[in-house]
Amino acid sequence: MKERLLFLALILFYLVPIWAVDYLPTVDGPCHTENAWIIRQHGNGDEFPQFDRLYTIDWRPLPNWLSHAVLALLMLVVEPRIAEKILVSGYIVLLPAAARYAAGAVDPERKWLGFLAFPLVYNLLFQDGFYNFSFSLAFWLFAIGYWWRRRASPDAGFAVRINLLLLACWFCHIVSLVLALFAIGVLWFASLLQTWRVRTHWKRHLLHVLILAPQLILPFWFVARHPGSAGPSFLSTAALVKFLFGLEVLSFFGAPQLWIGRVLAVAFLLFLVLTLAGRVRREDGRLRVDVREEDGFLLLSLLLVAVFFASPQGMSGGYLLKERLALYPWLALLPWLAPRLPERPGLPLRAAAIGSLAALALWSAGCVLRQYQAVEPAILAYLRPTEHIRPNSRVLPLFSEYGPYGLYRHLIGYTAVEKGLIDWNNYQAVTKLFPIRFRRRPEILWWVAREPGVVDVRSPDLKARVDYVYAWNLNPGSLQARHLRRHYRLVYKEGPGSLYMPKRGRPP
């Protein structure tokens, strides 16, 4: 009971950073909020006349739908920024809960190992604003945990629930659905090898295949529609080893999270060694290792390590694939870990382990809270000049640097929500991987999200399509800054932020 209460208390503490700041400091989070707002207001031509003309909703069953749909629904009752915080709070609650569920899949007594997942919550992908992928990690854990618990009785209820969990993976991110099917296949194979001696009925295994086969349809459809070539990885093998086994996927904010990742990796390694030690026994003068059906999770973790090293950096239009894959081997270990921590009078080893993991979790959340509060003034400073943009305008953001941790990259999306702006830096509306798309984005603006420094602001076509240019921290001597001063008029300046309008007559 005390352990469960501590777990719940940690979840509540992990929500504190989200609600302690006005704006969530994630890179792509503003873009998710902006596009959910467009979905919410699409068809509302009286208030937002340009949304229908410039955007279209892609109603096909694409991945990445979950966060947009949930946000759009939440925006029916709360303002967009609160909706985003509620959505993210759901992830903060869901991932540790899923880790606890998966950790107890083999033996309910091992649920406490779910404490290992807390430092993984505020990982690099979440801080990059990949909300859909973050949710997919939780559904991935629920899917493999549920399959393992119910694998012996694949009835109609099992078929419905496992397919719903896998569909949830799909509508979050394709990688988690594919790896969920891969994980179930590995676990099924390990289970088959272990139980072959007792002649497990072949019909039950065939039933599993029939239940899961429909989940292959959507991935094949998606890859056929997005056949882009694989992007090579530019990291050396040594760098990849350091990234994976040092858990550098936690280090969005630098040194403190690097150390947290290393300590967590040591904790995983210690529990792995203790688990293996508990399997070794002496029999007839020889050391023997117990082989069990649950060793499929260890095999799965090792295969996921191999997938990490063999994978490209991106494919089918997606990117940061290796960073995503770096999380799965650790999560796959949770159901397998069974460290022998005997309870002795005066030496409660299990309680000490739980206390140590809780302290590590508090350290991680405390670092995130401090960083959130540290970067908030920079976020507010960037957004303050945008308050002078008129509603329902078209805005082009330009910057010479992306700000602390890249947080300026799509930050104007929050202003776009508040004022109903057309944001030409809305990268999601270009990629065809998200529910919102530009009907036709001008070619002249193609590089805004990728390399804003190469955008030619002199172009008559561009000047006809923007009402404001928001320049942040441009070098006054740069060619782009000189062109802005010549072809645009400065309407507001505060700190490094300058707001320009084209020289073409009256303001819109």
Side-chain angles (χ1 to χ4, degrees), residues 235-248 265 305 308-309 322 326 330:
L235 294 177
S236 65
T237 301
L240 290 174
V241 169
K242 185 169 173 283
F243 184 84
L244 176 64
F245 295 109
L247 266 171
E248 292 185 4
V305 170
F308 168 81
F309 284 104
K322 284 192 180 294
W330 304 96

Side-chain angles (χ1 to χ4, degrees), residues 394 462-468 501-506 508:
R394 300 163 300 174
L462 185 146
K463 291 170 68 176
R465 295 175 186 275
V466 300
D467 301 312
Y468 291 91
M501 297 180 70
K503 293 179 179 178
R504 59 164 187 253
R506 293 193 313 166

Side-chain angles (χ1 to χ4, degrees), residues 398-476:
L398 298 175
F399 24 73
S400 58
E401 47 89 16
Y402 294 124
Y405 312 108
L407 295 177
Y408 295 161
R409 197 177 188 105
H410 303 292
L411 194 55
I412 202 169
Y414 286 128
T415 306
V417 169
E418 293 172 5
K419 293 178 174 287
L421 307 180
I422 300 299
D423 169 19
W424 290 122
N425 191 28
N426 185 350
Y427 84 97
Q428 292 183 0
V430 180
T431 61
K432 299 183 180 179
L433 300 175
F434 297 89
I436 280 291
R437 286 189 290 122
F438 284 116
R439 293 186 182 275
R440 181 182 174 275
R441 195 191 200 195
E443 192 70 26
I444 191 69
L445 295 169
W446 180 257
W447 289 101
V448 173
R450 295 175 179 268
E451 289 187 58
V454 305
V455 176
D456 186 1
V457 295
R458 299 171 301 171
S459 165
D461 186 35
L462 185 146
K463 291 170 68 176
R465 295 175 186 275
V466 300
D467 301 312
Y468 291 91
V469 172
Y470 180 47
W472 178 265
N473 203 28
L474 292 187
N475 182 348

Side-chain angles (χ1 to χ4, degrees), residues 101-161:
Y101 177 81
V106 175
D107 181 357
E109 291 297 316
R110 304 180 195 170
K111 286 183 177 181
W112 65 273
L113 289 161
F115 280 94
L116 284 164
F118 275 105
L120 298 173
V121 171
Y122 287 100
N123 59 71
L124 173 67
L125 288 312
F126 170 74
Q127 288 301 149
D128 275 334
F130 299 166
Y131 293 162
N132 289 297
F133 175 76
S134 299
F135 271 99
S136 78
L137 292 172
F139 289 120
W140 185 80
L141 285 168
F142 278 127
I144 64 173
Y146 180 75
W147 184 88
W148 182 265
R149 291 167 186 253
R150 295 292 305 274
R151 67 194 185 283
S153 54
D155 54 14
F158 167 83
V160 170
R161 295 185 190 97

Side-chain angles (χ1 to χ4, degrees), residues 340-353:
R340 296 185 64 180
L341 299 173
E343 296 292 331
R344 298 174 182 173
L347 189 63
L349 294 180
R350 177 168 156 173

Side-chain angles (χ1 to χ4, degrees), residues 291-497:
V291 178
R292 303 175 185 174
E293 188 180 359
E294 67 201 62
D295 292 339
F297 287 102
L298 177 60
L299 174 62
L300 172 62
S301 181
L302 294 173
L303 289 174
L304 289 171
V305 170
V307 170
F308 168 81
F309 284 104
S311 73
Q313 183 60 33
M315 59 190 302
S316 295
Y319 63 106
L320 293 181
L321 182 56
K322 284 192 180 294
E323 286 80 356
R324 300 175 202 268
L325 292 174
L327 287 163
Y328 293 95
W330 304 96
L331 294 172
L333 273 179
L334 290 174
W336 180 80
L337 293 175
R340 296 185 64 180
L341 299 173
E343 296 292 331
R344 298 174 182 173
L347 189 63
L349 294 180
R350 177 168 156 173
I354 292 174
S356 299
L357 292 178
L360 180 62
L362 288 171
W363 180 20
S364 177
C367 287
V368 171
L369 176 59
R370 285 196 298 273
Q371 291 294 336
Y372 274 25
Q373 292 174 330
V375 300
E376 186 173 35
I379 291 174
L380 295 175
Y382 179 90
L383 291 174
R384 200 172 297 119
T386 68
E387 295 173 2
H388 297 268
I389 299 175
R390 298 187 181 190
N392 295 316
S393 299
R394 300 163 300 174
V395 61
L396 171 66
L398 298 175
F399 24 73
S400 58
E401 47 89 16
Y402 294 124
Y405 312 108
L407 295 177
Y408 295 161
R409 197 177 188 105
H410 303 292
L411 194 55
I412 202 169
Y414 286 128
T415 306
V417 169
E418 293 172 5
K419 293 178 174 287
L421 307 180
I422 300 299
D423 169 19
W424 290 122
N425 191 28
N426 185 350
Y427 84 97
Q428 292 183 0
V430 180
T431 61
K432 299 183 180 179
L433 300 175
F434 297 89
I436 280 291
R437 286 189 290 122
F438 284 116
R439 293 186 182 275
R440 181 182 174 275
R441 195 191 200 195
E443 192 70 26
I444 191 69
L445 295 169
W446 180 257
W447 289 101
V448 173
R450 295 175 179 268
E451 289 187 58
V454 305
V455 176
D456 186 1
V457 295
R458 299 171 301 171
S459 165
D461 186 35
L462 185 146
K463 291 170 68 176
R465 295 175 186 275
V466 300
D467 301 312
Y468 291 91
V469 172
Y470 180 47
W472 178 265
N473 203 28
L474 292 187
N475 182 348
S478 68
L479 187 63
Q480 200 172 56
R482 294 202 304 268
H483 288 162
L484 276 173
R485 290 194 296 269
R486 180 176 180 182
H487 297 274
Y488 296 75
R489 60 189 182 88
L490 181 66
V491 294
Y492 185 79
K493 179 175 176 59
E494 182 176 343

